[in-house]
Amino acid sequence: MEFQWVIFEVFVILLTHFSKEVLSFVRYNVSQSSRLPIQNGPENALDNSDDTCAVTDYGKGNYWRIQLNQTLTVDSMELHLKGGNYTIEVGNTLKKVSDLYVCASKHLPFPSAKYTVNVSCKPAVRGDIIAVNRVDSGSLTLCDFKLRVCGLSTDGEPCPMCTVDTTCKRCDQSHYGVSCEHNCSPGCVPGSCNELTGECNCITGFTGTHC
């Protein structure tokens, strides 16, 4: 199954390439470190227009952040940003903040210029938070944001992992890992092995998160 673009409007909508069928997510939360002026709020990066932008105050530690209502497999993003030094990160509310994965670091040299930035997460990352962080001093100006996620799995659920050829992949019940390269413990209850982490429920006589 191919990738889809996630476009944020009143609802977050996952568009397929091969049918008019859409999967709508209930809601999302979007925020930024500050806004200048009030009409330059964080939602302006999601209106599919370069004419309106999310803009923060000048300073250090500026960010723009979106949290989805479910975990997706993030492959890549397209951002329209003004110049500065940035990191683009994906995180998961089920994990610690320190587990944020840096998909890319970008140096855009001219502060007043607007850049189209394509970011790939390699490998694709499971997460429900995407953050654009300005790591130098200045204002963060984000005019457009689009998110590319791995296609749905055969049962219609968000894909747990993406393969190199951009299809959705599931491991069999005896393996786990990004490429299904690890063996699940023989102490796992059959069918309970998490295909990303290998954690599972234990049969009698085995203990621990991986049994």
Side-chain angles (χ1 to χ4, degrees), residues 150-163:
C150 191
L152 298 181
S153 61
T154 54
D155 59 5
E157 294 297 319
C159 188
M161 66 186 73
C162 298
T163 63

Side-chain angles (χ1 to χ4, degrees), residues 25-38:
F25 302 107
V26 177
R27 61 174 59 89
Y28 60 86
N29 292 313
V30 63
S31 61
Q32 63 189 44
S33 50
S34 62
R35 60 180 66 190
L36 179 69
I38 192 168

Side-chain angles (χ1 to χ4, degrees), residues 17-182:
H17 287 296
F18 299 108
S19 75
K20 295 181 181 179
E21 182 179 344
V22 298
L23 175 65
S24 295
F25 302 107
V26 177
R27 61 174 59 89
Y28 60 86
N29 292 313
V30 63
S31 61
Q32 63 189 44
S33 50
S34 62
R35 60 180 66 190
L36 179 69
I38 192 168
Q39 62 264 31
N40 291 128
E43 64 281 351
N44 286 340
L46 307 177
D47 62 4
N48 207 30
S49 171
D50 260 0
D51 296 329
T52 54
C53 304
V55 183
T56 70
D57 291 323
Y58 187 95
K60 295 182 178 180
N62 282 317
Y63 67 84
W64 180 92
R65 186 176 299 150
I66 186 166
Q67 181 171 342
L68 309 175
N69 75 315
Q70 72 178 89
T71 301
L72 297 173
T73 307
V74 177
D75 172 71
S76 57
M77 290 159 258
E78 181 183 296
L79 304 90
H80 295 181
L81 273 168
K82 285 196 174 180
N85 296 330
Y86 300 94
T87 59
I88 297 90
E89 302 176 344
V90 177
N92 195 319
T93 53
L94 298 178
K95 297 184 178 181
K96 295 181 293 187
V97 175
S98 59
D99 290 333
L100 284 171
Y101 177 82
V102 179
C103 288
S105 297
K106 295 291 182 178
H107 171 62
L108 311 177
F110 301 108
S112 60
K114 189 184 296 181
Y115 297 83
T116 297
V117 180
N118 290 293
V119 174
S120 294
C121 299
K122 299 299 181 186
V125 184
R126 291 276 286 169
D128 60 0
I129 299 173
I130 298 97
V132 180
N133 303 304
R134 181 151 186 178
V135 297
D136 59 342
S137 294
S139 175
L140 186 154
T141 301
L142 176 62
C143 298
D144 199 30
F145 173 88
K146 289 184 176 69
L147 175 65
R148 203 179 189 190
V149 300
C150 191
L152 298 181
S153 61
T154 54
D155 59 5
E157 294 297 319
C159 188
M161 66 186 73
C162 298
T163 63
V164 174
D165 63 354
T166 70
T167 58
C168 183
K169 181 176 181 61
R170 285 189 178 276
C171 301
D172 62 44
Q173 65 178 9
S174 298
H175 294 86
Y176 73 95
V178 173
S179 303
C180 305
E181 70 273 25
H182 302 300

